Amino acid sequence: MRKPSGAREKSAAKRRNTAARGRSAPDELRLIPILLEGEIHPGDALADQLLESLQSSQLRLKFGDILVVKHKIISKSEGRLVDLATIQASAESIAWAKQYALDPRVIELALRESRAIIRRKNGVLITETHHGFLCPNSGIDVSNVSGGTHALLLPEDPDRSAASLRRAIKRRTGISIPVIITDSFGRPWREGLTEFAIGIAGMKALRDHRGRRDSHGYKLKASVEAVADELACAAGLVCGKLNRVPACIVRGFRYDPGLGRVRDLLRPAANDLFR
């Protein structure tokens, strides 16, 4: 004999509440900014400077922390600076840049750092970098560098840079923590910039929920969470462009340890509906 409708709903609600009690409560996350007063120069020991900054603020790393670092200090320490006076722009770059009051040397450098041009319209150049990132001007930046005389390139291999910083921190502290390197990109269909992970070491970039069931019993089919990008965005709330906070500790997030790589976050061109 079937239960009345009201009884079935109460029974289902009871099962959901029981399941919810069985799950642990979401963790409280902390975002701890790391302030750097001085400028980063090529060859600087970045791990030393970050740890010294933490110590001066009476802070220290803990097991379970995640270090999120803006790419600029990585690129500067690796010497990824280009003197724009050394760049000879082509006639094509000069003509296109002139239409939109752009620096043709930056356009020329962006083309050299790309493996494909995705869009070029209304003064916006979207390229695919050698890493596989789709972004304006191949991720080249002239802000917070040298007042416009130099351009800063992305790290040559951001995953390798993240792994190197992770090893250096472990040598200094004995603590092994994941490292995420980020940059600010725009997004299709949305205004404004947000942070993206461009390098990762020590944790998985994605969390796959496919095959699990939600609180209503529905089996998830397409839920793959880009946790590295979510952490990058969270850190971006304290790592502003103008407040000299190029790094942040994320504390309280239960990440999945593993051999992370940024390639896992890049959608193959064959599956990209917007390219």
Side-chain angles (χ1 to χ4, degrees):
M1 182 175 179
R2 296 184 64 187
K3 293 181 180 180
S5 175
R8 289 200 303 272
E9 290 176 1
K10 289 180 180 179
S11 179
K14 184 177 180 180
R15 288 196 300 272
R16 289 196 296 270
N17 290 336
T18 300
R21 287 195 297 270
R23 294 192 298 269
S24 59
D27 293 324
E28 178 182 77
L29 299 184
R30 289 187 63 196
L31 303 175
I32 304 171
I34 303 177
L35 177 68
L36 285 184
E37 292 290 350
E39 187 66 35
I40 299 297
H41 300 97
D44 280 354
L46 196 53
D48 291 348
Q49 296 204 28
L50 292 171
L51 292 172
E52 288 168 8
S53 177
L54 283 173
Q55 187 177 22
S56 66
S57 301
Q58 298 183 332
L59 296 169
R60 62 183 180 86
L61 293 173
K62 295 182 179 181
F63 287 102
D65 285 349
I66 301 168
L67 177 64
V68 184
V69 183
K70 295 282 287 183
H71 94 84
K72 282 187 179 180
I73 60 171
I74 299 288
S75 292
K76 287 179 180 179
S77 68
E78 293 179 351
R80 298 285 286 165
L81 287 160
V82 177
D83 186 346
L84 289 174
T86 66
I87 302 299
Q88 182 65 48
S90 67
E92 181 184 8
S93 294
I94 292 172
W96 192 76
K98 187 176 181 180
Q99 295 181 59
Y100 305 103
L102 303 174
D103 188 331
R105 301 170 300 177
V106 174
I107 301 302
E108 183 69 25
L109 193 54
L111 295 175
R112 295 182 190 180
E113 290 294 310
S114 72
R115 66 186 184 194
I117 298 174
I118 305 303
R119 295 285 188 277
R120 179 154 40 179
K121 185 178 180 180
N122 297 333
V124 177
L125 174 64
I126 304 296
T127 62
E128 181 179 7
T129 72
H130 298 301
H131 320 80
F133 307 142
L134 304 186
C135 56
N137 296 336
S138 299
I140 293 169
D141 208 339
V142 293
S143 64
N144 290 319
V145 179
S146 60
T149 62
H150 289 72
L152 191 67
L153 310 182
L154 294 177
E156 185 176 352
D157 184 339
D159 283 343
R160 184 177 63 198
S161 300
S164 177
L165 180 56
R166 183 171 183 251
R167 287 193 300 268
I169 289 172
K170 185 177 181 180
R171 284 196 300 268
R172 282 284 308 271
T173 66
I175 298 175
S176 183
I177 62 171
V179 173
I180 297 173
I181 299 173
T182 74
D183 195 11
S184 302
F185 293 161
R187 302 152 296 161
W189 316 121
R190 308 281 286 191
E191 292 290 353
L193 302 174
T194 190
E195 296 297 309
F196 285 79
I198 66 167
I200 186 170
M203 64 172 282
K204 294 181 180 179
L206 298 167
R207 180 169 286 171
D208 194 344
H209 298 292
R210 290 174 297 183
R212 300 180 64 182
R213 294 187 181 274
D214 66 14
S215 59
H216 295 273
Y218 178 77
K219 189 174 183 180
L220 302 178
K221 300 176 182 178
S223 297
V224 180
E225 190 177 0
V227 291
D229 282 342
E230 291 176 324
L231 291 167
C233 287
L237 295 173
V238 297
C239 295
K241 286 186 173 295
L242 302 176
N243 55 7
R244 302 194 69 83
V245 178
C248 167
I249 295 170
V250 178
R251 181 167 291 169
F253 182 79
R254 285 183 283 184
Y255 62 88
D256 298 321
L259 183 61
R261 56 183 189 175
V262 77
R263 187 186 309 167
D264 296 334
L265 294 164
L266 303 182
R267 181 167 291 161
N271 299 335
D272 193 335
L273 302 180
F274 306 103
R275 200 178 302 195

